Amino acid sequence: MRTLVLNAGYEPLAVISFKRALVLVMSEKATVIERDEEEPIWGTNASYDRPAVIVLTRYVRVPTSRRIPVTRRGVLRRDAYRCVYCGKAASTIDHILPRSRGGADSWENLAACCLRCNNIKSDRTPQEMGWELRMTPRPPHGTAWTVRGVERSDPRWEPYLALAA
């Protein structure tokens, strides 16, 4: 079981384990605002609802520039696992400007690509091939990228994630 953690201002911070959320609630550092339907948990002095969404009692300052690291998995997810050249299912990553020509490992230079297109393109640019990109690669944005663990979200989290989008 996982729990969405909201800052005191109700912006999503992270997804944590159910046990960690329960510790925050028991230590009065957080309050349960969405409960799980299962039976409550009985402690020595009280019973506690199983938390699905909690809000912190004190505001936590979050760094303003949360840089999203470039990863193979992230590029594939950003491009919806579709080839940027032909639109078929993608399983590899392509450097739009090849590394041999100074292309960087950045969100703007990496794109999801099928194995066939990646092999045909080889060490050339899309312009040299006469190919057009189906979308312009950009760094991802939104709560699905800044809040870790949200990619497999719970339906009860949607109202809180929609506020931050």
Side-chain angles (χ1 to χ4, degrees), residues 6-126:
L6 304 175
N7 210 341
Y10 281 79
E11 61 268 6
L13 284 180
V15 176
I16 61 173
S17 71
F18 150 74
K19 288 181 182 179
R20 176 73 182 124
L22 196 56
V23 168
L24 289 171
V25 170
M26 291 172 79
S27 62
E28 297 180 357
K29 292 181 179 177
T31 308
V32 178
I33 56 173
E34 289 284 335
R35 293 146 180 66
D36 204 355
E37 301 301 320
E38 296 180 34
E39 293 290 315
I41 295 169
W42 292 92
T44 53
N45 298 331
S47 70
Y48 298 94
D49 291 317
R50 293 178 185 262
V53 180
I54 62 173
V55 63
L56 298 177
T57 54
R58 294 181 135 194
Y59 186 82
V60 175
R61 191 180 142 313
V62 180
T64 54
S65 64
R66 276 192 175 174
R67 292 189 58 90
I68 303 163
V70 179
T71 61
R72 177 183 184 280
R73 184 192 213 166
V75 172
L76 288 168
R77 192 173 130 216
R78 177 201 64 191
D79 297 344
Y81 295 89
R82 293 278 158 217
C83 179
V84 75
Y85 303 116
C86 70
K88 293 183 180 172
S91 59
T92 64
I93 300 300
D94 179 53
H95 286 79
I96 297 164
L97 176 64
R99 281 196 293 188
S100 62
R101 298 185 184 189
D105 289 336
S106 66
W107 286 109
E108 294 83 1
N109 192 47
L110 292 172
C113 189
C114 69
L115 190 59
R116 182 176 178 274
C117 288
N118 207 345
N119 286 333
I120 292 170
K121 181 178 170 283
S122 185
D123 195 24
R124 293 172 283 202
T125 65

Side-chain angles (χ1 to χ4, degrees), residues 4 6 10-12 33-34 53 143 156-165:
L4 176 66
L6 304 175
Y10 281 79
E11 61 268 6
I33 56 173
E34 289 284 335
V53 180
T143 55
R156 290 172 292 204
W157 301 352
E158 295 306 320
Y160 306 101
L161 294 175
L163 293 175

